Amino acid sequence: MLILGIETSCDETALALIEVDNGDGKMRCRVVQSLVHSQAELHSAYGGVYPTLAKREHGKNLVPLMHKLILEAGDALRTFKTDKKPITDPEFDSVMKMFEKEIAPQNPELYQSFKDAKFLKNPLHIDRIAVTEGPGLEPALWVGINFARMLGALWNIPIIPVNHMEGHVVGSLLDENILNGSWTDLKPVQFPAIAFLISGGHTELVEVTNQSDDSRPNLSYKILGKTKDDAVGEAFDKSARLLGLPYPGGPHISMLAEKARQEMIIPKVKLPRPMQKSGDLDFSFSGLKTAVLYAVRDNCDKDGKVSEEFKKGLSLEFENAISETLDYKLRRAIDESGAKSIIIGGGVSANKMLRETFTKTAKEYSLQIYLPTPHVSGDNALMIALSGALMRNVETRNLKADGTKKLS
Ligand code: KG4
Ligand code: ZN
């Protein structure tokens, strides 16, 4: 089974093609191609993701990215013989007509580039399209959904809506070598597991159970705790901005913190470790961000600038505060749920120090931990295609972007 994944929930336009084999109750997969086009540089000027810009960029990027995907998949794709005939001009025109009223005004860039894309007249033998339905920025989500709808209608392929957060969970179960094109099994997980989802939009502790007894997981989710305000990635990005660092700020703070450790810089300021006494598994990062604001205000020169040494020290203290806060709640979640393993997912899981902290905790509890490889830690379509592969039944319902879609 060949699955196309489409991801446009935030500022990454991503497409992936994966092949999945469910023979003998065993699920194996291999990546034909997975491409991510980041818009981060464009959004950097705004200090964060600018939804209207994200929507327009996805509209411009999707069709060229699809072209690139097919070209780069090259030989690997030729093994999928298709009995589908090339699409005639009248057939193509009738699909475009069907969506003209609805999609052209909403996503003009997407509609126009789709209409001009001659290569789309040669259908691929794709069995399913998996597209992110939410959570995320609704205008951005709609572009991916509309692309899926047009492609699905043109090539006659069913479309499966996918939860972006489930994508982050299953993406972390992929093998390190997944991008070399070889077949791999999903990593076997002991359930119940605790999934810790840490990204620019989410900070969630989730209990994950499996309803399946074969190697194709059928997962269900219970949210144990979440942030009451900013997500952890947002806290990284906003604090980085206060320090005059570019968007996305997480990697920059992490880099400066690392330098501070190497240079043995002692932070000048002590930041709070929020919500440790809240008695639950929820988070709040807005106070931490305010503490960074005050620290910068109290230590800047008359032009509002802080020294490089101060930036390094504060980055170190910030990373430590985040790490202690997340680790404290992770331990509590393990204690309360009796979890048998830990799955870490979301963009912030790229953070080296957090990975080390969680790995140490897992070791202490003698639990297996699953961390995403670099390609799947940020937003990507491989995890979306994989999540689509896990769906037992292909339900063809009306697709609708759901900015606050919940895991269930
Ligand atoms: O999952 P993701 O790519 O997009 C969302 O769905 O939100 O996560 C993006 C977030 C950004 O806030 C970014 O600053 C953060 O992940 N991030 C990091 C690191 N790399 C990315 N945060 C801390 N340390 C990093 N190394
Ligand atoms: Zn994400």
Side-chain angles (χ1 to χ4, degrees), residues 177-232:
N177 301 319
I178 189 72
L179 287 184
N180 72 9
S182 52
W183 284 97
T184 52
D185 298 345
L186 274 193
K187 290 181 181 167
V189 179
Q190 286 234 33
F191 292 98
I194 286 285
F196 204 178
L197 301 176
I198 45 176
S199 72
H202 288 80
T203 309
E204 279 176 356
L205 278 163
V206 187
E207 187 180 50
V208 189
T209 45
N210 185 17
Q211 318 299 328
S212 145
D213 47 18
D214 61 31
S215 72
R216 176 156 60 140
N218 183 8
L219 304 177
S220 45
Y221 305 92
K222 185 172 145 208
I223 310 282
L224 303 176
K226 59 179 175 8
T227 183
K228 291 171 175 296
D229 40 57
D230 292 349
V232 61

Side-chain angles (χ1 to χ4, degrees), residues 7 9-10 12 164-165 168 199-202 346-347 377-380 383:
E7 158 63 33
S9 68
C10 194
E12 261 93 28
H164 179 86
M165 302 316 288
H168 277 305
S199 72
H202 288 80
S377 77
D379 287 345
N380 65 91
M383 67 183 194

